[in-house]
Amino acid sequence: MLVIGGCAHQQSPLAPAGDQAVALHQLLILMFIVSGLLYASVLVGLCWSVLRGKAAAARKINVAQEPSIGKGLWGAATVITLALTALILASFLADRALFSTRAQPAMLVRITAHQWWWRIEYQDAATGKWIETANELHLPVSRTTRVLVRTSDVIHSFWVPNVAGKIDMVPGRPNQLDLTPRRLGWYRGQCAEYCGAQHAHMALDVRIEDARSFDSWLARQAAPAQLGSLQSLPGAPVFDAHCASCHVIRGTSAKGKAGPDLTHIAGRRSIAAGTLPMTRGGLQGWIVQPQALKPGTMMPASGLSASRADAVADYLAGLK
Ligand code: HEC
Ligand SMILES: [Cu+2]
């Protein structure tokens, strides 16, 4: 099992944390056992034939003419056919389990891939309105969420291995996937289709939480920015002048749609799809020189002086 430093099992199909991942994990284990047994029997057969061959040579017998050879071949062919048929059947059943339309999902989430970040929108069940955020997916435990995936540019692939298998995000072809998480915690998703220079920096923080904390999280996301005294910070007008053409901060005049919604940016765990941890310093670094941290990113260098970037970072760090 792959274990890297402190992030053990946060991104692993071997530690399933949802029904869909369990179905795939069971299939994986079955395939491992069946192919392991076949491999072991091939090795046993090989050893046996080497030993038999030596003994036969000593007694000057022509092994190829022994009747047991033919029987052995038929036996092997039967075992292989049965094993492969069992695997085909199992993978067919796993596939059905993943894609059978279940009871009405509790919630709809729309995820749009962009080079190289994720736009995430939750449908408010009461009003039908979409609540937008980015790069961090929250899911209520033991409820089924239907994820509608699409892309705004090239082919990407949505993959949170602890929760479910992959699904491609193909231009002009919306896809969907049901997620039924069962284990609380933080997980890591990753774009799984090479999509350009910063494909590796297209990660997704995923939080599975109980229904109550999910509901209060979603209510916070739905609300406009809690501006209060932030409005009078020197960073606010700088943001309006340099950033508002690409970013939304609900409750202000910033309405640009080219980049992630920043209404509650400081409440997220990381910056720029998992590129940097969310700290005030990280925000400032990103604002001053996004192209150095994520070369090729669609966010241009701002050209702001360090002190003005610092002021904008102060402003954003207040947007919880
Ligand atoms: C031309 C459009 C554009 C402009 C102008 C722009 N940004 Fe961005 N911004 C983006 C895009 C696109 C991303 C996503 C980059 C990525 O992750 O690859 C982004 C990402 C970000 C993020 C990380 C968001 C997240 O969810 O992690 C922050 C913070 C940010 N921008 C702040 C700013 C600030 C502050 C300014 C003004 C100084 C600014 N941006 C100007 C397009 C822009
Ligand atoms: Cu991608």
Side-chain angles (χ1 to χ4, degrees):
M1 231 175 265
L2 188 63
V3 177
I4 306 170
C7 51
H9 306 319
Q10 277 201 3
Q11 186 186 329
S12 167
L14 300 178
D19 289 357
Q20 292 75 11
V22 165
L24 291 173
H25 185 245
Q26 284 168 346
L27 182 64
L28 182 73
I29 298 289
L30 183 75
M31 287 192 160
F32 182 75
I33 292 173
V34 170
S35 357
L37 287 176
L38 285 182
Y39 180 65
S41 57
V42 167
L43 286 189
V44 168
L46 185 67
C47 294
W48 178 77
S49 61
V50 166
L51 295 177
R52 274 296 307 269
K54 273 191 177 167
R59 284 185 284 133
K60 299 207 162 33
I61 299 171
N62 183 355
V63 187
Q65 283 167 0
E66 283 200 26
S68 63
I69 294 276
K71 271 192 219 153
L73 285 179
W74 275 112
T78 313
V79 169
I80 291 171
T81 310
L82 286 178
L84 292 185
T85 309
L87 288 186
I88 290 173
L89 206 68
S91 80
F92 174 75
L93 291 176
D95 203 51
R96 290 295 298 267
L98 292 181
F99 287 100
S100 59
T101 13
R102 262 166 269 237
Q104 220 24 42
M107 188 173 59
L108 286 183
V109 177
R110 195 157 68 189
I111 303 188
T112 311
H114 296 260
Q115 283 176 315
W116 292 276
W117 59 281
W118 314 86
R119 189 188 300 275
I120 305 178
E121 296 158 285
Y122 292 79
Q123 191 173 43
D124 184 337
T127 63
K129 281 204 186 126
W130 295 93
I131 302 163
E132 184 168 337
T133 175
N135 295 331
E136 190 170 301
L137 179 66
H138 286 234
L139 296 171
V141 73
S142 299
R143 284 196 216 158
T144 297
T145 299
R146 181 154 302 160
V147 179
L148 312 169
V149 302
R150 52 187 195 174
T151 170
S152 70
D153 38 51
V154 301
I155 303 179
H156 300 263
S157 181
F158 174 82
W159 189 40
V160 188
N162 295 74
V163 181
K166 297 170 186 171
I167 189 136
D168 277 0
M169 310 167 101
V170 182
R173 193 193 187 304
N175 272 334
Q176 62 181 46
L177 183 68
D178 282 356
L179 305 178
T180 316
R182 297 286 180 194
R183 208 141 46 76
L184 302 177
W186 281 100
Y187 300 93
R188 188 177 187 276
Q190 169 66 43
C191 177
E193 180 74 40
Y194 180 71
C195 57
Q198 288 299 332
H199 163 66
H201 279 144
M202 188 167 167
L204 177 68
D205 290 314
V206 179
R207 173 135 167 85
I208 298 173
E209 55 194 349
D210 62 53
R212 272 181 66 198
S213 55
F214 172 80
D215 289 342
S216 65
W217 175 84
L218 190 60
R220 275 202 305 284
Q221 300 304 307
Q226 306 299 304
L227 289 166
S229 60
L230 292 177
Q231 259 164 327
S232 53
L233 287 180
V238 183
F239 187 92
D240 281 344
H242 291 89
C243 322
S245 57
C246 289
H247 291 289
V248 172
I249 297 181
R250 276 172 278 131
T252 75
S253 57
K255 294 200 168 26
K257 296 292 280 181
D261 185 305
L262 300 181
T263 309
H264 300 287
I265 174 73
R268 300 213 257 278
R269 203 187 192 201
S270 68
I271 301 169
T275 306
L276 295 171
M278 173 60 70
T279 59
R280 214 192 113 334
L283 278 172
Q284 192 203 3
W286 175 256
I287 295 164
V288 173
Q289 199 38 288
Q291 294 297 330
L293 296 162
K294 195 169 176 178
T297 173
M298 301 301 167
M299 171 155 155
S302 65
L304 292 178
S305 66
S307 64
R308 296 180 86 202
D310 206 34
V312 177
D314 263 341
Y315 173 58
L316 293 187
L319 298 173
K320 290 271 174 356

